[in-house]
Structures are given as C-alpha cells and as structure tokens.
Amino acid sequence: MDTPHFAAAVAAFVGALGDRVAPGITSFPELFTEDAAIDVPFDGAGDVRPIVGRSAIEAMAAGLAGFLWFDEVTIRTVHQTVDPAVVVCEYDAVLRRADRDGPLRRRYIAVITLHGGHIRTLREYGGPFMVDAAP
C-alpha cells in the first residue's frame, strides 16, 4: 500500500530505528508486524481504542489520505530502555490537516516495541496542534 501522505514519518522512523527495522520499508503499514497495535490514548478524538493488525493500520492510513499529510518529521531523541526491543522516541512533526488552514506543528513521544524488524506496538502521545511559525 502506497502512503505518500506518511512518507516523511516513514523516512524518519526508518532512519531513527536503523538496523532495528527490516530493509526496504517504504510505506507506513510496512513498518508494522501483522499483529501490531497503534495506541494513541490521549488523541482527543474521543475514540481511544487501539488500531490492531496491519490490515486495520492500512485502513486507517487509507482513510487519512486526502485529510492528513506529514510534511516533516524530525526525530529528536531515541532513548534505549532496559528491554532491547523497546525504545522511546521524541519527535516533532509539521503536518497539514484538511480541516485546518496552514501547516501545524505537533510534538510527540512514542513508546515503540519492535519484533522481527517491524513495530509490534506503537503507543503515541501527542501535544497540542500549534500553528507552525516556521517560514
């Protein structure tokens, strides 16, 4: 599945996770195991249920095409944990949403569990959407 609206996020995660992820990943769903879960418990949309399974992740990504675009994702820090399969990433994103005017900036922290070169769990905590003041 092609996900050009997530291309900046995919490139940032592949670069930050390095040899922990399988080579050749080019789309958002490819980052994840077949049984993966994305959990965004404080998203603000009112639906806090995790997205479970690569097919559900593909459906979510397809549903966001034409609505959400990641223009830039910058991984600030990757923290190692006592479990070598778990990392914590701090990152910023510049993104656009169809329901908002102009670019927005949002800061995130994600707890990522890896298995077999793919993300098994992504628990993401995002700050408020701020108007991007960059030129």
Side-chain angles (χ1 to χ4, degrees), residues 80-96:
Q80 305 303 311
T81 68
V82 294
D83 182 341
V86 178
V87 296
V88 177
C89 295
E90 298 180 48
Y91 53 101
D92 300 329
V94 175
L95 51 100
R96 290 173 289 126

Side-chain angles (χ1 to χ4, degrees), residues 19-77:
D19 62 2
R20 294 182 192 106
V21 294
I25 291 175
T26 60
S27 74
F28 189 70
E30 289 175 348
L31 283 168
F32 296 90
T33 62
E34 290 296 327
D35 62 344
I38 297 176
D39 187 11
V40 187
F42 304 116
D43 187 32
D47 184 3
V48 295
R49 292 175 295 171
I51 301 161
V52 179
R54 187 184 288 169
S55 62
I57 293 168
E58 288 175 354
M60 180 269 307
L64 290 173
F67 178 77
L68 179 72
W69 301 266
F70 285 92
D71 293 331
E72 177 184 330
V73 176
T74 304
I75 306 286
R76 299 290 179 198
T77 308

